C-alpha cells in the first residue's frame, strides 16, 4: 500500500480551501454521496476514468469538483445524470490499494454551479462558477443557529453512531453556514434531502430546513427509545424469542411498519399485479392480500392464504397459445400418426375450419368411444399436435370423490384445487387440449358423484364460469378443447353423455391391422428393443398369421405385444452373439412366427361348434369390441319347462322366452313331423357358453330362435353364418346397435355371411368398403327369412 501526501513525503499538509476557483475543473461523480463545503470526505475510487482523473489532479493543482449522481445505480453517469451544484475539493491524501483502486481524502471548499460541460473524455470536465452563501444577519438567524445547536446536541446524546466530540465542535462554531454544513454531513440523510441542503444558498432558509430535519430525527429517536422502554417492561428476561416479537410489535404500532411477512406479501402482490385477472377475481385477491399483510407469520391461517394466492398466481389467466389453423398441416399430422379413422380426422378438420372462420368459437367437447387398443388416447395427442395446443391427460377411472374434480374447500386441512385446475396450471395456457380418460369408469359414493361435477366442466353453456371449491372464483374453461374416452357408453350417465359429441371407434379389420403394424407397431418395437431395421424384417404373411392365430381383439394392443415378443427374442440372439460380427438379418415368416410365439392361441370355432343341430352362431357387442356368441339348445324328456344357463341378464332371458314362444307357435311349419304334445313332454335347455362372463341384451333373439328351430327340425346351422337381431312374438326382426363391431368380430372368426335386421341396412355404410366386399350381408325382416338363410337344407 502506497500513501502519497500533499508534499510527497508521507506527511499530509493543510490545503487552502478559500483560494480563487478556476474557471474549468475536472468533475468527479459521486454515487449515493453528497459533498458539502468545509467538510473532509474520505472517498474510494475504482473506475478507470476516475483513477485517471485523480492521477492528473495530483500532478497539478489538486483541485476538482465533486458532484452527486441523480441515478446512483449507474456505474458511469454522464453529464445529464449529474446534479448541477457541487463542491470544489482539494485532494489532501491518496492511498493506492493492491487491487488497483484508490482511497483519497478530499477537503471540501466552495460550493459551485456547473455552467457548461467542456469535455467527457478521458473524464468529465466542466466550466464552473462559485455560489456564495447569502447571509442576512437578524435575530431570527441567531435563534435558528442556537436551536440547531441545541437539537443536534440532544441527538448526539441519544444516537450511538455520533461521537461525543461533535457536541463540543458544534458549540464552538459561530458561523451559521459552517454549522449547517457540519451537521448535515454528520447525519444519515437521504441523498436528495442532503443535495437540497447543499443547493440552498440562503443560510436562513437552510437552517430552517435543517431544524425540520433535526426535529424529525429527534422524534424518531425518541419513539425508538420509548418502544425499547415499553418492551423491556413487558418481557420476561429468560424468553429471548418473546423479546424479539414484542419489539417487533411495538415498532409496528409506532411506525406503522409490517413484520417479516411484508416482503412475502409484497412479492405476491407484485406477482399478481402482472397477471391479467378479471375484475371480480382481482377484488377477491386484493382482499386476501390485505388479510395476509395483517396476519403474523406464525398464524395458522397465514400459510393457507399464502398457498391460495400462489395458486391464483400460477394459473394461466388470459394466457393462450395460438392455434395452428393450417388444414393441410393438420391433415398431414393426423395421417402420419394414425391410419384410417377418417370420421375422426374429418371432425378435427371441421373444428379447425370453424375456428379459422370464427376465432372466438366456443370449445369443442368430443367423446371417443370404443374398445381398448384402438388409439383413443394417442389420437388425442395427435389432435393437440395438429392444433399446436398444450396436451394434458386427466384419468378419471375409479374417481369417486367430487372433490377430485371441483377441489376441496379451504376450510379442510390439506385442501387443494381439483384435477381440472391442476391440469390448467401444468398446461400453462387457458386453451389446452384436455384428454379425460375412462370417463365411463367414474364411480359415486357418500363423498359425492364426480360425474355430476363433470356436468359443469363439459357444458359449453356453463364452463365459462367454472368455480373450483378451493379457488372459489370463476375460471373460464370455454377455450379448452375437451376429448373424453370411454369403452362403454351405457355406463356414462345420460345428462353427461348428452353434453358430448360421440365419435365411435369400432375397431380395425385385418387389413387395417396389417397396415397399422407395418407403419407404426413394427418400427416402434424395433426401436424399443434396441434393434435396427437391417437386423429384422416382417413379411405381410407373417403379420397376418400373428393377427389371425395369436390375437382376437378389436384394437392392436395384443398385436403389438406379440410383435414385441418376437423382437425381444431376436434381440436376445443378437446380444448372445456378443457383437463379434454384424448381425444377420432375421426375416420373420409364418413358420418363424410359429417357432417364436409357440402354438396358435385362437382358433375359428364356428365350423366345429355348429356341426350339431341346436347350435347357432350369434354376434354380440361388448365394451372391448364385438364378439361371436354360440347359443346351444337341447331337449330332454320332461314337463315343458325352459331352463336358461350361462349368466344371462333379464333382457336376454326374456328374449329366450320370446324365441321359444314363437317356435312353439310355428312348430308345425318348422318341423311338421313333431306332434302337438312334443313341447309338453320335453324340457328345453338353452345355454350360452363362457358361463363365467355375464351376458345381456336383446340382440340374441333371432339366434336363440334359430337354435331352437335347428333343434326341433334336426337341421344344422350353416357354419359360415352368424346373426344378430331382436325378435318379437310375431316373428319380426327389430334393429340392433353395434353392427360395425359385430361385423369385425365376424371377420376375425372366419364368418362369411351375416344375417342382420333390414332396418340396419343403412348402418352398413359405417363398415369399411373392403370389409363389405368380403362379407355377405343378408337383411332380414322376419324370423322366417332368418331360418331360410341359416338352416341347412333337409337331407
Amino acid at each position: 500500500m502506497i500513501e502519497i501526501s500533499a508534499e510527497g513525503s508521507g506527511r499530509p499538509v493543510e490545503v487552502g480551501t478559500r483560494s480563487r476557483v478556476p474557471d474549468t475543473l475536472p468533475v468527479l461523480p459521486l454515487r449515493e454521496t453528497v459533498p458539502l463545503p468545509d467538510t473532509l470526505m474520505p472517498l474510494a475510487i475504482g473506475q478507470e476514468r476516475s483513477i485517471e482523473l485523480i492521477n492528473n489532479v495530483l500532478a497539478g493543482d489538486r483541485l476538482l469538483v465533486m458532484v452527486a449522481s441523480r441515478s446512483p445505480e449507474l456505474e458511469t453517469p454522464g453529464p445529464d445524470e449529474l446534479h448541477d451544484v457541487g463542491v470544489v475539493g482539494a485532494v489532501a491524501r491518496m492511498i493506492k490499494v493492491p487491487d488497483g483502486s484508490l482511497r483519497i481524502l478530499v477537503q471540501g471548499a466552495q460550493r459551485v454551479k456547473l455552467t457548461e460541460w467542456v469535455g467527457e473524455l478521458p473524464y468529465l470536465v466542466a466550466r464552473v462558477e462559485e455560489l456564495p452563501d447569502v447571509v442576512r444577519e437578524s435575530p431570527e438567524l441567531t435563534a435558528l443557529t442556537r436551536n440547531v445547536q441545541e437539537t443536534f446536541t440532544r441527538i448526539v446524546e441519544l444516537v450511538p453512531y455520533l461521537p461525543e466530540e461533535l457536541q463540543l465542535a458544534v458549540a464552538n462554531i459561530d458561523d451559521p453556514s459552517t454549522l449547517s454544513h457540519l451537521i448535515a454531513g454528520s447525519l444519515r440523510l437521504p441523498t436528495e434531502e442532503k443535495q437540497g441542503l447543499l443547493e440552498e444558498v440562503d443560510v436562513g432558509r437552510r437552517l430552517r430546513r435543517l431544524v425540520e430535519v433535526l426535529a424529525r430525527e429527534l422524534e424518531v429517536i425518541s419513539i425508538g427509545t420509548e418502544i425499547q422502554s415499553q418492551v423491556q417492561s413487558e418481557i420476561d428476561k429468560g424468553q429471548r424469542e418473546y423479546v424479539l416479537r414484542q419489539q417487533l410489535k411495538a415498532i409496528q404500532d409506532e411506525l406503522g411498519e409490517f413484520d417479516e411477512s411484508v416482503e412475502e406479501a409484497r412479492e405476491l402482490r407484485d406477482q399478481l399485479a402482472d397477471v391479467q385477472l378479471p375484475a371480480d377475481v382481482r377484488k377477491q385477491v386484493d382482499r386476501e392480500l390485505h388479510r395476509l399483510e395483517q396476519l403474523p407469520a406464525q398464524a395458522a391461517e397465514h400459510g393457507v392464504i399464502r398457498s391460495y394466492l400462489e395458486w391464483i398466481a400460477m394459473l394461466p389467466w388470459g394466457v393462450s397459445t395460438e392455434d395452428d389453423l393450417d388444414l393441410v398441416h393438420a391433415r398431414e399430422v393426423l395421417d402420419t400418426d394414425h391410419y384410417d379413422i377418417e370420421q375422426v380426422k374429418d371432425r378435427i378438420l371441421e373444428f379447425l375450419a370453424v375456428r379459422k372462420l370464427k376465432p372466438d368459437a366456443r370449445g369443442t367437447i368430443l367423446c371417443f368411444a370404443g374398445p381398448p387398443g384402438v388409439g383413443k388416447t394417442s389420437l388425442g395427442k395427435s389432435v393437440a399436435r395438429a392444433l399446436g395446443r398444450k396436451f394434458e391427460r386427466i384419468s378419471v377411472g375409479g374417481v369417486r370423490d367430487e372433490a377430485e374434480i371441483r377441489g376441496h374447500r379451504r376450510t379442510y386441512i390439506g385442501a387443494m384445487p381439483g384435477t381440472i385446475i391442476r391440469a390448467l396450471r401444468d398446461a400453462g395456457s387457458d386453451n389446452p387440449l384436455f384428454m379425460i380418460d375412462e370417463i365411463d369408469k367414474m364411480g359415486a359414493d357418500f363423498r359425492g358423484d364426480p360425474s355430476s361435477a363433470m356436468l359443469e366442466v363439459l357444458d359449453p353453456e356453463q364452463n365459462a364460469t367454472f368455480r373450483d371449491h378451493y379457488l372459489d372464483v370463476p375460471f373460464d374453461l370455454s377455450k379448452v378443447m375437451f376429448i373424453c374416452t370411454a369403452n362403454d357408453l351405457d355406463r356414462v350417465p345420460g345428462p353427461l353423455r348428452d353434453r358430448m359429441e360421440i365419435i365411435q371407434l369400432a375397431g380395425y379389420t385385418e387389413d387395417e391391422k396389417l397396415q397399422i403394424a407395418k407403419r407404426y407397431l413394427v418400427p416402434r418395437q424395433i426401436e424399443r428393443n434396441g434393434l435396427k431395421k437391417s437386423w429384422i424384417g416382417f413379411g405381410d404373411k407373417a403379420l397376418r398369421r400373428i393377427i389371425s392365430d395369436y390375437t382376437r381383439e378389436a384394437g392392436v394392443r395384443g398385436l403389438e405385444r406379440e410383435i414385441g415378443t418376437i423382437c425381444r427374442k431376436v434381440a436376445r440372439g443378437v446380444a448372445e452373439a456378443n457383437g463379434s460380427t454384424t448381425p444377420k438379418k432375421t426375416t420373420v415368416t409364418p413358420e418363424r412366427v410359429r417357432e417364436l410365439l409357440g402354438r396358435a392361441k385362437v382358433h375359428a370355432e364356428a365350423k366345429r361348434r355348429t356341426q350339431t343341430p341346436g347350435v347357432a352362431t350369434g354376434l354380440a357387442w361388448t365394451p372391448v369390441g364385438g364378439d361371436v356368441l354360440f347359443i346351444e339348445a337341447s331337449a330332454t324328456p320332461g314337463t315343458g319347462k325352459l331352463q336358461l344357463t350361462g349368466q344371462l341378464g333379464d333382457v336376454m332371458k326374456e328374449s329366450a322366452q320370446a324365441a321359444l314362444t314363437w317356435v312353439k307357435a310355428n312348430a308345425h311349419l318348422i318341423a311338421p313331423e313333431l306332434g302337438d304334445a312334443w313341447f309338453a313332454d320335453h324340457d328345453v335347455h338353452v345355454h350360452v357358453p363362457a358361463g363365467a362372463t355375464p351376458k345381456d341384451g336383446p340382440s340374441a333373439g333371432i339366434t336363440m330362435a334359430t337354435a331352437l328351430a335347428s333343434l326341433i327340425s334336426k337341421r344344422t346351422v350353416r357354419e359360415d353364418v352368424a346373426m344378430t337381431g331382436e325378435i318379437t312374438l310375431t316373428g319380426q326382426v327389430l334393429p340392433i346397435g353395434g353392427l360395425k363391431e359385430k361385423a369385425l368380430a365376424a371377420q376375425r372368426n372366419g364368418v362369411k355371411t351375416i344375417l342382420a335386421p333390414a332396418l340396419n341396412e343403412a348402418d352398413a355404410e359405417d363398415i369399411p368398403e373392403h370389409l363389405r366386399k368380403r362379407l355377405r350381408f343378408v337383411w332380414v325382416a322376419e324370423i322366417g327369412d332368418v331360418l331360410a338363410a341359416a338352416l341347412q337344407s333337409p337331407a
Side-chain angles (χ1 to χ4, degrees):
M1 183 177 294
I2 303 174
E3 179 177 323
I4 300 177
S5 66
E7 295 180 346
S9 60
R11 180 180 58 83
V13 301
E14 292 186 3
V15 179
T17 62
R18 290 300 174 183
S19 58
R20 190 183 69 83
V21 177
D23 293 337
T24 303
L25 286 174
V27 178
L28 178 66
L30 303 181
R31 297 173 58 190
E32 298 182 350
T33 303
V34 178
L36 292 170
D38 305 323
T39 59
L40 197 62
M41 297 183 62
L43 299 175
I45 308 299
Q47 294 183 13
E48 293 183 3
R49 70 172 185 176
S50 298
I51 293 176
E52 185 174 356
L53 184 151
I54 297 301
N55 291 332
N56 291 343
V57 164
L58 290 174
D61 57 6
R62 314 177 72 87
L63 295 180
L64 51 79
V65 177
M66 298 175 289
V67 182
S69 172
R70 299 180 189 270
S71 303
E73 67 276 4
L74 295 178
E75 289 288 338
T76 57
D80 294 337
E81 286 82 26
L82 297 178
H83 286 284
D84 296 333
V85 178
V87 173
V88 173
V91 181
R93 175 175 294 180
M94 185 271 286
I95 299 175
K96 293 184 178 180
V97 183
D99 62 3
S101 62
L102 306 177
R103 300 293 183 268
I104 63 174
L105 195 63
V106 183
Q107 175 65 55
Q110 298 95 323
R111 175 178 51 241
V112 293
K113 181 178 182 180
L114 281 62
T115 58
E116 182 184 354
W117 292 96
V118 177
E120 298 185 22
L121 293 176
Y123 44 78
L124 299 176
V125 178
R127 200 178 304 280
V128 299
E129 65 179 20
E130 187 175 351
L131 287 178
D133 286 331
V134 177
V135 181
R136 298 182 180 89
E137 296 292 343
S138 65
E140 180 185 6
L141 182 64
T142 304
L144 286 172
T145 303
R146 293 178 180 177
N147 183 278
V148 166
Q149 289 174 325
E150 293 174 0
T151 306
F152 185 71
T153 300
R154 293 171 58 189
I155 291 175
V156 172
E157 295 174 351
L158 297 174
V159 177
Y161 71 84
L162 293 177
E164 295 181 357
E165 291 78 1
L166 279 175
Q167 292 179 324
L168 183 60
V170 167
N172 293 330
I173 295 177
D174 296 328
D175 180 41
S177 177
T178 304
L179 177 67
S180 64
H181 293 152
L182 175 62
I183 294 177
S186 302
L187 294 176
R188 297 175 179 175
L189 300 179
T191 302
E192 292 299 326
E193 192 170 24
K194 190 175 288 189
Q195 180 69 27
L197 292 173
L198 171 65
E199 295 179 358
E200 182 57 67
V201 296
D202 190 305
V203 177
R205 285 202 295 266
R206 189 193 309 154
L207 287 175
R208 192 174 292 107
R209 293 175 63 175
L210 198 56
V211 166
E212 295 175 0
V213 171
L214 293 175
R216 185 188 66 213
E217 291 294 319
L218 184 61
E219 182 179 2
V220 172
I221 295 170
S222 300
I223 293 174
T225 304
E226 182 181 351
I227 292 172
Q228 187 67 25
S229 301
Q230 292 175 356
V231 172
Q232 288 293 338
S233 63
E234 295 175 2
I235 63 175
D236 184 352
K237 294 181 180 180
Q239 299 179 351
R240 181 176 180 276
E241 182 180 357
Y242 185 72
V243 170
L244 297 175
R245 289 180 180 174
Q246 288 299 318
Q247 286 180 333
L248 194 58
K249 181 177 181 299
I251 292 173
Q252 290 175 344
D253 293 339
E254 294 295 335
L255 300 181
E257 296 179 355
F258 300 102
D259 58 12
E260 68 269 12
S261 64
V262 172
E263 185 63 27
E264 185 179 73
R266 184 181 298 110
E267 289 179 1
L268 276 173
R269 186 179 291 277
D270 294 341
Q271 189 176 358
L272 289 164
D274 297 333
V275 180
Q276 301 176 15
L277 296 176
D280 51 345
V281 179
R282 176 69 66 185
K283 184 177 180 181
Q284 170 76 1
V285 165
D286 290 342
R287 182 163 57 246
E288 294 297 330
L289 275 171
H290 181 70
R291 292 181 59 200
L292 181 67
E293 292 170 345
Q294 299 300 318
L295 285 173
Q298 296 78 21
E301 199 173 355
H302 184 275
V304 175
I305 298 176
R306 184 190 64 216
S307 298
Y308 171 79
L309 293 173
E310 288 174 348
W311 268 104
I312 293 287
M314 286 188 291
L315 291 178
W317 301 92
V319 179
S320 302
T321 56
E322 185 176 353
D323 286 342
D324 187 347
L325 301 178
D326 186 348
L327 301 184
V328 176
H329 167 73
R331 182 74 194 199
E332 291 176 354
V333 171
L334 295 174
D335 287 342
T336 300
D337 293 348
H338 292 273
Y339 178 76
D340 198 38
I341 54 175
E342 295 298 326
Q343 181 186 7
V344 181
K345 295 177 181 177
D346 289 342
R347 182 62 187 86
I348 301 305
L349 294 176
E350 291 167 5
F351 168 79
L352 281 176
V354 172
R355 182 55 62 96
K356 192 171 185 177
L357 299 176
K358 185 175 174 58
D360 59 344
R362 67 179 56 178
T364 303
I365 300 172
L366 305 178
C367 180
F368 295 158
V374 296
K376 298 185 294 295
T377 302
S378 61
L379 183 58
K381 294 180 181 179
S382 297
V383 173
R385 192 161 71 90
L387 295 175
R389 292 194 177 195
K390 300 293 183 64
F391 176 84
E392 289 296 327
R393 176 180 171 273
I394 302 173
S395 179
V396 295
V399 171
R400 294 180 175 272
D401 190 355
E402 177 197 5
E404 285 292 325
I405 307 300
R406 280 208 181 108
H408 302 82
R409 300 190 185 278
R410 281 188 286 158
T411 53
Y412 294 104
I413 296 176
M416 63 187 304
T419 183
I420 300 297
I421 294 299
R422 296 201 301 270
L424 281 168
R425 174 204 61 185
D426 297 340
S429 69
D430 63 0
N431 65 335
L433 188 149
F434 279 176
M435 171 67 72
I436 303 180
D437 254 343
E438 314 293 354
I439 198 169
D440 58 325
K441 298 177 180 59
M442 286 192 298
D445 58 13
F446 65 93
R447 291 169 290 185
D449 184 3
S451 62
S452 298
M454 273 292 182
L455 293 177
E456 181 184 4
V457 176
L458 299 180
D459 191 341
E461 301 295 333
Q462 300 180 31
N463 61 14
T465 56
F466 173 72
R467 189 178 290 268
D468 186 272
H469 286 162
Y470 180 84
L471 298 181
D472 200 27
V473 293
F475 193 96
D476 186 4
L477 299 181
S478 62
K479 298 179 182 179
V480 178
M481 182 175 185
F482 291 96
I483 297 181
C484 306
T485 68
N487 298 133
D488 186 2
L489 287 175
D490 292 337
R491 298 176 59 182
V492 180
L496 184 57
R497 188 166 60 246
D498 183 60
R499 283 163 166 78
M500 301 183 292
E501 180 181 343
I502 308 297
I503 297 179
Q504 293 283 353
L505 298 174
Y508 301 111
T509 65
E510 182 176 317
D511 290 342
E512 290 171 343
K513 289 182 179 180
L514 176 63
Q515 294 299 324
I516 292 172
K518 291 169 61 178
R519 298 186 186 193
Y520 309 108
L521 306 185
V522 170
R524 185 160 61 206
Q525 287 301 318
I526 289 176
E527 189 273 332
R528 287 182 179 178
N529 288 281
L531 299 174
K532 297 181 180 179
K533 292 182 179 180
S534 59
W535 297 353
I536 185 172
F538 286 81
D540 288 0
K541 293 182 178 179
L543 291 173
R544 289 187 183 275
R545 176 65 61 85
I546 299 173
I547 293 169
S548 60
D549 292 357
Y550 295 89
T551 64
R552 181 169 291 173
E553 57 180 349
V556 292
R557 278 189 188 150
L559 175 59
E560 184 170 13
R561 279 194 293 269
E562 299 300 332
I563 294 173
T565 300
I566 293 176
C567 289
R568 288 195 300 274
K569 292 182 181 297
V570 173
R572 177 183 174 184
V574 173
E576 288 176 346
N578 295 324
S580 56
T581 58
T582 302
K584 185 178 180 181
K585 183 173 183 177
T586 301
T587 301
V588 181
T589 62
E591 295 74 19
R592 188 68 168 155
V593 169
R594 174 70 174 82
E595 178 184 340
L596 294 172
L597 296 182
R599 58 182 177 83
K601 298 179 181 179
V602 296
H603 306 277
E605 298 181 283
K607 182 176 180 180
R608 179 178 61 86
R609 298 287 286 271
T610 57
Q611 291 177 349
T612 304
V615 180
T617 305
L619 296 173
W621 180 93
T622 70
V624 295
D627 201 358
V628 296
L629 204 64
F630 296 102
I631 296 180
E632 301 173 347
S634 181
T636 59
T639 59
K641 295 180 180 178
L642 173 64
Q643 184 178 3
L644 302 172
T645 56
Q647 273 209 73
L648 306 185
D650 292 338
V651 176
M652 203 166 183
K653 289 178 180 178
E654 293 174 357
S655 295
Q657 187 64 57
L660 179 60
T661 301
W662 185 88
V663 171
K664 283 182 178 180
N666 295 275
H668 63 284
L669 300 175
I670 302 171
E673 68 276 6
L674 284 182
D676 294 338
W678 190 90
F679 283 101
D681 297 336
H682 291 80
D683 290 340
V684 178
H685 185 177
V686 176
H687 176 65
V688 184
T693 305
K695 310 167 192 70
D696 203 1
S699 63
I702 66 171
T703 313
M704 291 180 171
T706 303
L708 291 170
S710 171
L711 173 67
I712 65 175
S713 66
K714 301 189 184 314
R715 296 161 60 188
T716 59
V717 178
R718 298 180 187 275
E719 63 185 34
D720 62 343
V721 171
M723 61 200 73
T724 178
E726 181 179 356
I727 190 174
T728 68
L729 290 176
T730 60
Q732 296 182 17
V733 180
L734 300 183
I736 45 81
L739 182 62
K740 182 179 179 181
E741 290 87 344
K742 295 174 181 179
L744 292 172
Q747 184 207 29
R748 290 195 297 269
N749 287 272
V751 173
K752 304 298 183 183
T753 302
I754 296 177
L755 308 184
L759 295 176
N760 284 111
E761 187 172 358
D763 296 338
E765 296 180 0
D766 296 334
I767 302 173
E769 184 177 356
H770 65 273
L771 179 58
R772 291 202 304 269
K773 292 180 179 179
R774 295 183 181 182
L775 294 175
R776 174 173 170 260
F777 284 89
V778 178
W779 306 106
V780 294
E782 297 181 350
I783 189 63
D785 302 333
V786 176
L787 299 181
L791 296 180
Q792 297 277 11
S793 301

